[in-house]
Structure formats: C-alpha cells, structure tokens
Amino acid sequence: MRLLLGPDETIPVAGRFSYRSDRPYEVEVAFISRGETVATWLFARDLLIDGLHDEVGHGDVRVWPTHRAGGAHRVHIELATDDSVCELAVRTTELIAWLEQTTAIVPPGHEDRHLDIDAHLARLLAGKC
C-alpha cells in the first residue's frame, strides 16, 4: 500500500489484509511498523468489492477506484477518525487477487451460512466484544 501525502507524493506503508470465515462480513487491515502491528482497522468486505468499480462508504471508511493516465489502476481507501484522515492506495490487481481468495472461502451473499450468531451473541452478552 501507499500512503498519499499529496497529489504526487506517497510513501510505502506495510499492511496486512486478513479475512476469516467465522467473521465473513469483515476484513481486517493491520498496519505494521518495525515488525509490530501499530494499528488495526475492521470494515466490511463489501466495501472493497464494491470499491473496485464505484465510490462507496461514508463516515470512517470510503473506497473508490482511480486510474491516472499512464499509471496503474489503484483503489483508494480513506480511513477517518475524529482527529485525522489518511488515504491509502492499493494496486487494483493485487486487491482483486486477494478478494478472489476471500470469495473462494465465502462467496458474497453466502456470509450468513458461515456466521455463528449464537457464539457472537454469547461473546457480546459476556462483554467480550
């Protein structure tokens, strides 16, 4: 990924996307510095899938495709907190390859078949969420 600092200025950012079939609606992005996770974001997998073609999301997470003349296709991911906003760019081909792996595990529209609602409700009621 690349962190966008300005219109023509970026720096590389180490991040790891992960997906779990027992949490089929979400993806996790862990940001890594010096081998340690420094921040983690959870958001809907559908945002990444839909963000390949259209601008989607509002509030904390927004996703949209971009293409610069003579440049690679990228997907931008904007993450916002009350204090700040950061915009990241991911190569579209790499994101598609990763998303294809997640959809092989749990196809879109079939998430409910993999969600153990009783286990999640028990964790919620036990205060472990």
Side-chain angles (χ1 to χ4, degrees), residues 10-103:
T10 67
I11 57 171
V13 173
R16 180 179 53 245
F17 284 78
S18 59
Y19 180 76
R20 294 173 39 176
S21 62
D22 64 330
R23 300 179 82 145
Y25 291 103
E26 69 186 37
V27 297
E28 177 181 289
V29 181
F31 296 97
I32 303 160
S33 177
R34 298 183 182 141
E36 299 289 324
T37 299
V38 294
T40 303
W41 278 76
L42 296 173
F43 52 89
R45 176 177 69 164
D46 286 348
L47 283 176
L48 293 179
I49 293 170
D50 296 343
L52 292 170
H53 306 288
D54 294 306
E55 184 172 340
V56 295
H58 50 66
D60 295 351
V61 181
R62 292 185 329 119
V63 182
W64 66 94
T66 64
H67 177 69
R68 293 176 67 174
H73 290 269
R74 297 193 180 275
V75 173
H76 285 222
I77 303 169
E78 180 183 270
L79 305 174
T81 67
D82 291 338
D83 301 327
S84 62
V85 175
C86 77
E87 187 175 329
L88 301 154
V90 180
R91 284 188 190 106
T92 302
T93 55
E94 292 176 7
L95 184 58
I96 288 171
W98 183 79
L99 285 168
E100 285 174 347
Q101 292 175 27
T102 73
T103 61

